[in-house]
Amino acid sequence: MKRLFQLTILFLVLVGCVVCYSGGYTPLDFLDILLHPSEPEISDTENSPNVAPESQISTASETRGVWVATAYCIDYPSAETTEEAELKEECDHILDNIQANGGNTVYLQVRPAADSLYPSSLFPWSRYLTGSCGTAPEHDFDPLEYWVQQAHARGLKLEAWVNPYRICAGEHAQSDFAALPSDSPAKQHPEWVVECDGSYYFNPGLEDVRQLICDGVTEIVKNYDVDGIQFDDYFYPSTEFDDKDTYSSSNTELSIADWRRDNVNQLVQQVGEAVHQNARNMNCQFGISPSGIWRNKGINSFGGSDTNGYEHYTSSYADSLTWITNGWIDYICPQIYWQIGDEAADFETLANWWSRQVMNTDVKLILGLATYKIEDSTYGSVWEKDGCAEIGRQIDLARSLSDIDGFAIFSYRDLTEKSGLDDVLKEKWAG
C-alpha cells in the first residue's frame, strides 16, 4: 500500500510538470503553487469598466442595425398607399441607403399596433400602410415577403419588429379603435382590451392574449425567412393600468407589481420557445429592445445602474435581467438614448453596466443609439451642435468594452435628414 501511494505521488508530480511546462512554468513554480495557493481574485465589477482586449474586437461581425418604423409613417411608407410600385420603390431605396452606409441589419416594424404589414390570419392590414385598417395593397402585394427577399439579395439581415400589446395609441386612438374591422381580435374579444390614458392595449394578464401574441409570432417565422423577431420597449403602458379584476381573479400570492412582471416573463419565455421551435430560418433570433435603464441604483438595493431616469423594471414591469439570466432571449438591445457624460444617465455608465449583465451568458448585447436627437435643441447643446460626432464617440467607446456585439440606430429617416450622419456611419461601419 505504501509503494502504491508513492507511485501515485510520483505520477501526480510528473503530470504537474507536464502541465507547468506547457503553461510556461517550471517544476519549482508548480511546487510553490502547491505550497502557497493564492486567494481568489475579486474584481470590482460594479465600478470597473468591462474593457475588451484588442483581440476580441471584431468590427466585421458586429451588428450594425437600423430601425425602420412604420407607425405614423415615420420611415415606411412615407405616406399611406395601396400602390405596389410605390411600396417596392421605397423599400428598394431604403435598403440601398442602409447598405451604402455600412448597415447589415434591418428591424422592420411589421406590427406597429394590433395589425400587420403582411397577409395575416390573425391581424388586419395596418392603417399605417394603406391608410385604412383592413385594406390590403393592390395585386395581393406582400410587403414583408418583398422586404425579406430584397434585404437578403443585398446581404442584409431582416428582422420583424413587433409591438406586442398596443392596439391603438395617440391622439386619434379612439377614432382608430372605432374604425377597426370586425375581424380584428380587439373587436372579436373586447374582454381582452384595456383602455389606459386614452389609448387601447391588450391585457398582458390574460393567457389568451399571450397565446394570441405567440401565435402571431409563429405565423411570421413559419411563413417568412426572417432573421429574427424583435419586441420593442412597450410592455405595460402605465402603473395605472386598470387590471385589478384580472389580478384578483388570478388568485396569485404575488404583489400586483410582481404579478405583472411575471405576466411579461411568461410571454417572453413562450415567444422565445415559439421562435426556435417553428422558424423556417434555423438562425432566427428573438431579441428585445427595452428602454435603457433596468433599475436606478440610488433608489433600491437591487444593483441597478448609477443613473436617475425611467426604469422599465418598475414603470413597464419588464424585468430584462430575468430574461438574460434564464436565456429566454438571444440578444438584448437597450435603448441608451443619452449622451456621454449625461448627468442623469451617462452613456458610458450604462454601456458598462449592460456589458456586465451579459458577461458569461449566451445573450448578445446590441446598443440602441438615439440618432433622432441629432440637431434637436430639445435634448441639449451636444445633440444640437455635435450630435453626429456624439454618435461616433459612442460607437468608439462601446467598441472599447467587452461583451458588446453591435449597435442599432433609431431611426432610418435620420440617415437622410441629419446632415453628416451618413459620413459618420460610413467611417465607423466601414469594412
Side-chain angles (χ1 to χ4, degrees), residues 76-204:
Y76 177 84
S78 57
E80 298 96 337
T81 181
T82 60
E83 297 289 330
E84 177 182 2
E86 291 183 21
L87 292 169
K88 285 183 174 180
E89 182 179 358
E90 284 203 44
C91 168
D92 292 340
H93 177 72
I94 291 172
L95 292 175
D96 286 343
N97 207 14
I98 291 173
Q99 182 185 36
N101 282 277
N104 59 21
T105 305
V106 180
Y107 305 111
L108 176 66
Q109 191 176 28
V110 301
R111 185 169 307 128
D115 53 9
S116 66
L117 268 76
Y118 55 92
S120 171
S121 64
L122 300 170
F123 299 97
W125 283 97
S126 176
R127 61 187 176 276
Y128 300 118
L129 180 71
T130 61
S132 176
C133 191
T135 299
E138 66 178 5
H139 307 143
D140 296 323
F141 174 60
D142 184 341
L144 178 54
E145 180 179 32
Y146 188 79
W147 273 83
V148 171
Q149 291 174 347
Q150 294 304 312
H152 288 173
R154 292 164 172 80
L156 306 175
K157 293 181 179 180
L158 193 289
E159 295 197 19
W161 161 19
V162 170
N163 186 293
Y165 298 124
R166 184 171 59 198
I167 301 170
C168 297
E171 59 180 329
H172 303 298
Q174 294 191 9
S175 59
D176 287 342
F177 187 82
L180 291 176
S182 60
D183 61 350
S184 166
K187 286 294 184 72
Q188 291 181 331
H189 298 280
E191 71 277 10
W192 295 356
V193 179
V194 175
E195 182 178 359
C196 180
D197 297 331
S199 298
Y200 297 86
Y201 305 88
F202 287 121
N203 186 346

Side-chain angles (χ1 to χ4, degrees), residues 137-403:
E138 66 178 5
H139 307 143
D140 296 323
F141 174 60
D142 184 341
L144 178 54
E145 180 179 32
Y146 188 79
W147 273 83
V148 171
Q149 291 174 347
Q150 294 304 312
H152 288 173
R154 292 164 172 80
L156 306 175
K157 293 181 179 180
L158 193 289
E159 295 197 19
W161 161 19
V162 170
N163 186 293
Y165 298 124
R166 184 171 59 198
I167 301 170
C168 297
E171 59 180 329
H172 303 298
Q174 294 191 9
S175 59
D176 287 342
F177 187 82
L180 291 176
S182 60
D183 61 350
S184 166
K187 286 294 184 72
Q188 291 181 331
H189 298 280
E191 71 277 10
W192 295 356
V193 179
V194 175
E195 182 178 359
C196 180
D197 297 331
S199 298
Y200 297 86
Y201 305 88
F202 287 121
N203 186 346
L206 299 175
E207 182 178 351
D208 288 338
V209 165
R210 293 193 290 271
Q211 189 62 54
L212 170 69
I213 297 168
C214 191
D215 290 343
V217 167
T218 298
E219 181 180 54
I220 295 172
V221 299
K222 273 189 172 182
N223 295 331
Y224 299 92
D225 188 25
V226 294
D227 298 286
I229 293 289
Q230 184 184 105
F231 282 178
D232 55 17
D233 56 324
Y234 294 101
F235 294 96
Y236 277 87
S238 169
T239 56
E240 303 302 316
F241 194 76
D242 187 10
D243 56 356
K244 294 182 178 61
D245 290 342
T246 310
Y247 174 64
S248 297
S249 63
S250 71
N251 296 317
T252 181
E253 295 183 357
L254 297 173
S255 68
I256 190 168
D258 286 338
W259 172 76
R260 286 172 174 171
R261 279 185 284 271
D262 183 62
N263 293 330
V264 175
N265 287 345
Q266 289 185 58
L267 176 68
V268 170
Q269 183 178 14
Q270 187 176 355
V271 168
E273 292 173 353
V275 168
H276 293 295
Q277 291 172 5
N278 297 290
R280 58 186 281 187
N281 182 336
M282 63 180 297
N283 296 314
C284 189
Q285 300 185 102
F286 175 44
I288 299 181
S289 179
S291 61
I293 299 173
W294 173 68
R295 299 203 75 173
N296 296 299
K297 176 182 177 183
I299 60 174
N300 61 72
S301 58
F302 289 88
S305 53
D306 189 10
T307 51
N308 182 21
Y310 176 95
E311 52 177 41
H312 53 257
Y313 181 89
T314 56
S315 297
S316 60
Y317 304 98
D319 187 3
S320 54
L321 260 60
T322 291
W323 312 336
I324 293 171
T325 301
N326 289 286
W328 294 337
I329 55 178
D330 297 298
Y331 70 86
I332 193 158
C333 182
Q335 300 167 20
I336 308 183
Y337 288 170
W338 299 272
Q339 69 196 52
I340 298 172
D342 188 279
E343 293 184 2
D346 171 34
F347 179 91
E348 183 173 5
T349 296
L350 282 165
N352 267 293
W353 188 87
W354 281 105
S355 71
R356 289 193 292 269
Q357 309 318 307
V358 300
M359 189 189 304
N360 300 321
T361 75
D362 293 326
V363 178
K364 294 181 179 179
L365 173 60
I366 301 166
L367 303 186
L369 309 182
T371 55
Y372 71 93
K373 289 187 174 183
I374 296 171
E375 299 175 357
D376 192 333
S377 61
T378 305
Y379 302 107
S381 61
V382 170
W383 288 110
E384 180 187 12
K385 300 176 181 179
D386 202 30
C388 292
E390 173 65 18
I391 293 297
R393 289 190 291 268
Q394 292 182 358
I395 292 174
D396 288 341
L397 189 155
R399 281 177 174 167
S400 72
L401 307 178
S402 65
D403 299 295

